[in-house]
């Protein structure tokens, strides 16, 4: 038992961070305090403030404290610890994906493209955008307004005539000489830059000047093109609600909370343009107060920012924050400029806050419905299989094309539905092409032929396939070097129905070797279809990536001694893959970096 009285007698009254541990020495909660002694004493009163605190205190085995110089420093350290240890009783923001940007490259004919990751490529970056869909939308819109190329560099360098984008007026074909001057192309690139910076009026002013200039020179065809471009840009800018009103970076945050589930809807506004919005559903321990949810979200969202997220100059929210001044000070230090948090939006900004609030409430309602449906489906499946509870399920599927680039997928469902953090893919090789049984055996061995943590052992394993696949899976489990309960986990084969139609699946239960045909409206069947479809999607995605990678190598890098640089030299000097295949031995040997001996090897392999 934890001796709270003795601990509180020795703890300091300085500001700092405290970490609570259970009997397994696992951190279960991280908190901060202006006065550590006073804050920690509040946990051990006779009448604690909430059921959550009561549950937390009952499992405390030890507490560590770290003293800081100020409350602001404690705030930063607290969120660093939360990110590192993911404690059970803290509110956790599950947001580990990097944020996409739009990149305008720096080269003779700059390219406009989506970009995600560290900013190593030289050029201008615009964003971040809330998701890839918002980037695709923006790129598609810009393509209709400004004829700047968006094609890959390999395509751009190897064109001999304009592509379809030129034919439909969405690119000026800088890849082929004679279609657009460098001056005109760079003018359009500058329009794109100004447009993405929110300077729509400057773009329109420049276009009007160019139209008038072309008209004075009696070049009415060119003037008409500028006129059409002006109309298109004006039509777009009219849809931007606050464009030209405020060019500051701004985040609008609204929080909706009900039945222990919170939805935080964030609207991203950068340089006067609405880039899009995104809903977040943090993991919240039972009986957590809304104030703690909002305070923790702000800290984690900005202080633990995913790769690429930026801190705006102003944050507008529908919640009053107790640690508002400390957060403002810390965010200002991190950003390098003054950051303000405002909880009383006025004017047009209040309309955006109202819109964000409405979106948060709608998304929360959908989430609550989905959560309710998942619980009903789990309950129905448990009753069907006579299992008292189902904590974890895993499902396997195989994907390949004519036996090539075989990939196996494993998806995981917990009591909340898909648990993507534990999804896995396995590259399968060393088998007869097209042998799905052998592929499934390899996948199961890779996944389970090692000790697993008790909570990672699934209650049910679904095998996408019929009796043959299930029997092979049972043989694999007989050979495994791990000790599990005889009837745990339960293996179930999901055989596709007639004409592969959903709702006609046959379930083959390993325990008792019985077959089940569930009605199409069965909630248990809906859950099985969900995990099976998710496994299928995950397998196909991995297979496509593997196939695309193999295709991108164009057959040359599989030849010993030919790496990426020599491959590029061959394609460049001989005019693409067709030119390489048609080249003579002497022509191959004339390529820089290709010796006569290597040319002979290459010549023979290509003839094969």
């Amino acid at each position: 038992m934890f001796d709270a009285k003795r601990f509180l007698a020795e703890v300091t009254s300085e500001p700092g961070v405290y970490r609570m541990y259970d009997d397994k020495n696992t951190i279960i909660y991280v908190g901060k305090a202006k006065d550590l002694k006073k804050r920690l004493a509040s946990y051990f009163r006779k009448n604690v403030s909430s059921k959550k605190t009561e549950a937390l205190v009952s499992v405390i085995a030890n507490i560590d404290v770290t003293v800081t110089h100020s409350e602001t420093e404690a705030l930063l350290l607290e969120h660093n610890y939360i990110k590192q240890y993911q404690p059970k009783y803290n509110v956790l923001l599950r947001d580990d994906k990097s944020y996409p940007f739009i990149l305008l490259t720096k080269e003779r004919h700059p390219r406009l493209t989506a970009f995600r990751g560290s900013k190593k490529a030289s050029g201008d970056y615009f964003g971040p955008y809330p998701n890839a869909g918002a980037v695709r939308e923006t790129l598609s819109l810009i393509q209709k307004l400004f004829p700047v190329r968006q094609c890959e560099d390999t395509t751009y360098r190897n064109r001999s005539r304009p592509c379809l984008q030129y034919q439909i007026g969405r690119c000026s074909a800088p890849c082929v000489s004679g279609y657009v001057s460098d001056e005109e192309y760079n003018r359009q690139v500058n329009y794109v830059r100004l447009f993405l910076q929110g300077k729509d009026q400057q773009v329109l002013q420049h276009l009007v000047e160019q139209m008038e200039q072309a008209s004075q020179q009696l070049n009415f065809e060119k003037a008409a093109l500028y006129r059409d471009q002006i109309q298109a840009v004006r039509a777009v800018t009219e849809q931007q609600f606050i464009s030209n009103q405020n060019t500051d970076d701004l985040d609008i945050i609204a929080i909706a909370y009900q039945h222990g589930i919170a939805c935080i809807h964030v609207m991203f506004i950068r340089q006067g343009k609405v880039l899009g919005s995104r809903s977040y559903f943090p993991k919240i321990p039972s009986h957590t107060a809304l104030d703690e949810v909002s305070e923790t979200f702000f800290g984690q969202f900005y202080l633990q920012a995913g790769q690429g997220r930026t801190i705006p100059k102003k944050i507008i929210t529908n919640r009053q924050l107790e640690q508002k001044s400390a957060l403002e000070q810390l965010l200002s230090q991190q950003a390098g400029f003054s950051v303000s948090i405002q909880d009383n939006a006025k004017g047009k900004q209040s309309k955006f806050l109202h819109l964000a609030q409405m979106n948060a409430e709608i998304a929360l309602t959908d989430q609550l419905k989905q959560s309710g449906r998942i619980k009903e489906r789990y309950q129905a499946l448990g009753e069907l299989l006579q299992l008292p509870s189902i904590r974890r399920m895993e499902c396997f599927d195989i994907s390949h094309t004519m036996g090539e680039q075989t990939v196996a997928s494993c998806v995981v469902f917990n009591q909340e539905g898909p648990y993507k953090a534990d999804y896995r893919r396995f590259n399968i090789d060393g088998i007869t092409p097209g042998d799905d049984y052998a592929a499934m055996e390899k996948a199961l061995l890779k996944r389970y032929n090692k000790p697993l943590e008790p909570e990672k052992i699934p209650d049910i394993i679904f095998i996408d396939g019929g009796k043959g696949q299930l029997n092979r899976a049972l043989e694999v489990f007989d050979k495994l070097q791990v000790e599990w309960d005889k009837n745990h986990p339960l293996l179930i084969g999901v055989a596709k129905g007639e004409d592969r139609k959903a709702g006609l699946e046959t379930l083959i239960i390993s325990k008792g070797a019985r077959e089940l045909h569930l009605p199409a409206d069965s909630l248990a069947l809906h859950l099985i279809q969900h995990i099976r479809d998710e496994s299928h999607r995950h397998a196909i995605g991995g297979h496509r990536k593997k196939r695309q990678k193999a295709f991108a190598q164009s057959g040359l890098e599989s030849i010993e001694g030919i790496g990426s640089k020599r491959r590029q030299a061959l394609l460049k000097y001989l005019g693409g893959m067709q030119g390489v295949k048609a080249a003579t031995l002497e022509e191959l040997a004339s390529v820089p970096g290709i010796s006569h001996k290597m040319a002979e090897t290459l010549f023979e392999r290509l003839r094969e």
Side-chain angles (χ1 to χ4, degrees):
M1 293 291 292
F2 178 66
D3 190 345
K5 190 173 182 180
R6 181 179 176 183
F7 171 78
L8 291 172
E10 298 175 355
V11 74
T12 179
S13 295
E14 296 294 321
V17 174
Y18 54 91
R19 299 175 297 285
M20 296 176 170
Y21 297 79
D22 62 11
D23 56 1
K24 296 177 183 176
N25 205 34
T26 300
I27 294 178
I28 55 175
Y29 188 77
V30 174
K32 63 159 191 341
K34 188 187 295 185
D35 183 327
L36 283 167
K37 192 182 193 73
K38 190 181 291 186
R39 179 72 184 93
L40 287 166
S42 69
Y43 285 96
F44 301 100
R45 294 172 184 156
K46 287 185 179 180
N47 298 316
V48 292
S49 58
S50 69
K51 289 184 178 180
K52 176 192 171 183
T53 305
E54 190 177 326
L56 171 61
V57 170
S58 68
V59 291
I60 293 174
N62 188 28
I63 300 177
D64 272 348
V65 298
T66 301
V67 176
T68 59
H69 292 101
S70 64
E71 188 183 6
T72 305
E73 188 179 324
L75 178 63
L76 180 59
L77 185 59
E78 175 197 26
H79 290 293
N80 286 337
Y81 279 142
I82 291 173
K83 181 179 181 180
Q84 182 178 354
Y85 297 112
Q86 301 284 295
K88 178 181 177 180
Y89 287 93
N90 281 98
V91 176
L92 301 175
L93 175 61
R94 294 169 288 190
D95 177 37
D96 56 354
K97 286 189 176 179
S98 61
Y99 284 69
F101 283 76
I102 287 178
L103 168 63
L104 185 61
T105 62
K106 279 188 179 177
E107 47 194 316
R108 181 187 171 189
H109 295 132
R111 172 193 176 213
L112 202 62
T113 183
F115 185 88
R116 193 193 290 267
S118 56
K119 300 176 183 178
K120 292 181 180 178
S122 59
D124 298 320
Y125 292 85
F126 304 93
Y129 287 78
N131 50 55
V135 171
R136 286 193 295 269
E137 248 180 69
T138 305
L139 287 174
S140 177
L141 173 64
I142 291 173
Q143 203 168 37
K144 295 172 186 175
L145 297 177
F146 309 104
V148 173
R149 75 179 184 94
Q150 296 187 16
C151 61
E152 296 284 345
D153 287 342
T154 50
T155 303
Y156 162 73
R157 293 188 187 115
N158 292 290
R159 294 297 304 182
S160 58
R161 58 181 180 177
C163 66
L164 181 62
Q165 294 299 325
Y166 171 79
Q167 304 295 336
I168 61 176
R170 296 190 177 181
C171 182
S172 52
C175 53
V176 184
S177 60
Y179 283 86
V180 62
S181 66
D182 287 357
E183 182 186 1
E184 175 58 28
Y185 186 82
N186 286 325
R187 184 180 293 122
Q188 294 295 329
V189 167
N190 190 45
Y191 294 156
V192 170
R193 187 179 289 107
L194 291 171
F195 182 79
L196 288 171
Q197 289 173 348
K199 300 174 181 176
D200 306 338
Q201 292 305 313
Q202 285 191 37
V203 174
L204 288 169
Q205 186 179 340
H206 284 300
L207 287 171
V208 169
E209 289 173 0
Q210 291 299 317
M211 181 182 69
E212 290 174 349
Q213 186 178 338
S215 180
Q216 290 171 3
Q217 295 172 353
L218 304 182
N219 191 344
F220 299 115
E221 186 176 345
K222 191 173 183 179
L225 291 174
Y226 282 122
R227 178 204 61 200
D228 295 342
Q229 199 171 10
I230 290 167
Q231 291 174 350
V233 172
R234 275 185 176 148
V236 170
T237 54
E238 284 169 4
Q239 296 170 14
Q240 286 289 335
F241 192 70
I242 62 165
S243 183
N244 304 317
Q245 300 295 322
N246 182 357
T247 57
D248 284 345
D249 291 350
L250 182 68
D251 280 353
I252 311 280
I253 300 179
I255 303 176
Y257 189 49
Q258 194 176 353
H259 302 306
I261 297 178
C263 174
I264 296 99
H265 192 82
V266 185
M267 188 175 292
F268 299 84
I269 298 171
R270 294 294 181 271
Q271 296 171 322
K273 289 190 178 295
V274 182
L275 300 189
S277 61
R278 183 169 171 179
S279 292
Y280 298 86
F281 296 91
K283 183 180 177 183
I284 302 174
S286 300
H287 308 293
T288 301
L290 177 55
D291 285 342
E292 184 180 347
V293 174
S294 54
E295 297 273 352
T296 307
F297 175 82
F298 270 81
Q300 291 187 35
F301 188 71
Y302 291 108
L303 302 180
Q304 300 177 11
Q307 186 179 11
R309 190 191 296 139
T310 56
I311 298 174
K313 289 186 176 180
K314 186 183 289 185
I315 302 166
I316 296 175
T317 178
N318 64 338
R319 296 288 307 169
Q320 289 187 346
L321 303 178
E322 185 181 336
Q323 55 188 21
K324 174 183 167 183
S325 58
L327 259 175
E328 286 178 331
Q329 183 181 345
L330 194 51
L331 292 178
S332 299
Q333 290 173 3
Q334 299 257 327
F337 50 77
S338 178
V339 177
S340 65
I341 300 173
Q342 187 177 329
D343 51 32
N344 56 346
K346 298 176 182 178
K348 291 185 177 180
Q349 291 176 352
S350 66
K351 294 183 180 180
F352 273 96
L353 184 59
H354 176 70
L355 182 62
Q357 177 70 39
M358 190 167 60
N359 276 287
E361 290 169 357
I362 291 170
L364 179 61
T365 302
D366 289 344
Q367 185 75 1
L368 286 168
K369 286 180 182 176
Q370 182 66 26
S371 178
R373 284 196 294 267
I374 286 174
K375 287 179 182 176
E376 289 175 10
R377 289 173 180 178
Y378 268 87
Q379 186 177 353
L381 184 60
E383 291 172 359
L384 174 72
L385 301 174
Q386 298 178 350
L387 295 174
S389 69
I390 301 173
R391 298 174 298 101
R392 184 181 177 97
M393 303 188 297
E394 300 189 359
C395 183
F396 289 80
D397 192 19
I398 306 294
S399 181
H400 58 77
T401 301
M402 303 295 286
E404 298 297 324
Q405 281 88 43
T406 303
V407 171
S409 74
C410 170
V411 301
V412 179
F413 274 39
N414 61 14
Q415 291 178 322
E416 297 176 359
Y419 185 57
K420 295 189 178 182
D422 277 5
Y423 280 19
R424 295 292 182 270
R425 288 195 188 108
F426 307 103
N427 290 321
I428 306 298
D429 47 30
I431 62 171
T432 304
D435 188 347
D436 285 356
Y437 290 1
M440 183 63 72
E441 179 176 350
K442 283 217 164 194
L444 292 171
L445 286 172
K446 285 185 175 186
R447 177 65 170 169
Y448 299 118
N449 201 22
K450 57 188 175 183
L452 292 179
E453 298 171 21
E455 62 270 16
K456 293 287 181 82
I457 298 175
D459 299 299
I460 303 173
I461 297 174
F462 291 101
I463 306 295
D464 189 21
K467 285 184 179 179
Q469 283 279 40
L470 182 61
N471 288 335
R472 178 62 73 94
L474 289 169
E475 291 173 12
V476 171
F477 274 81
D478 287 338
K479 296 187 292 185
L480 288 177
Q481 300 298 312
V482 291
E483 293 183 7
W484 291 350
D485 295 342
K486 188 175 181 182
N487 297 318
H488 184 267
L490 177 63
L491 268 67
I492 300 176
V494 184
K496 296 176 179 65
E498 188 179 343
D499 298 327
R500 305 171 76 88
K501 288 183 179 177
L504 300 177
E505 295 88 351
T506 300
L507 304 183
I508 307 159
I509 314 296
S510 60
K511 187 179 178 182
R514 58 193 176 112
E515 294 186 8
L516 293 177
H517 296 273
L518 301 180
D521 60 352
S522 166
L523 292 175
L525 179 61
H526 294 168
L527 181 57
I528 293 169
Q529 287 171 338
H530 188 183
I531 192 170
R532 190 271 319 276
D533 292 345
E534 186 71 0
S535 176
H536 190 56
R537 179 197 64 77
H538 195 53
I540 287 177
H543 168 64
R544 283 177 177 162
K545 285 183 179 177
K546 192 174 180 182
R547 188 177 62 190
Q548 188 175 14
K549 184 178 179 181
F551 177 76
Q553 289 181 340
S554 70
L556 288 177
E557 290 184 17
S558 61
I559 300 172
E560 188 178 354
I562 303 294
S564 59
K565 288 187 178 179
R566 284 177 175 148
R567 169 179 165 265
Q568 289 173 9
L570 286 163
L571 294 173
K572 179 180 178 181
Y573 281 89
L574 297 175
M577 194 61 194
Q578 293 300 321
V580 174
K581 288 179 178 179
T584 63
L585 180 60
E586 289 72 21
E587 287 173 333
L588 290 170
S590 67
V591 175
I594 304 295
S595 66
H596 196 273
K597 187 176 180 180
M598 190 176 292
E600 288 178 347
T601 303
L602 186 60
F603 187 78
E604 290 173 6
R605 287 291 301 276
L606 289 171
R607 292 298 170 272
E608 290 172 6

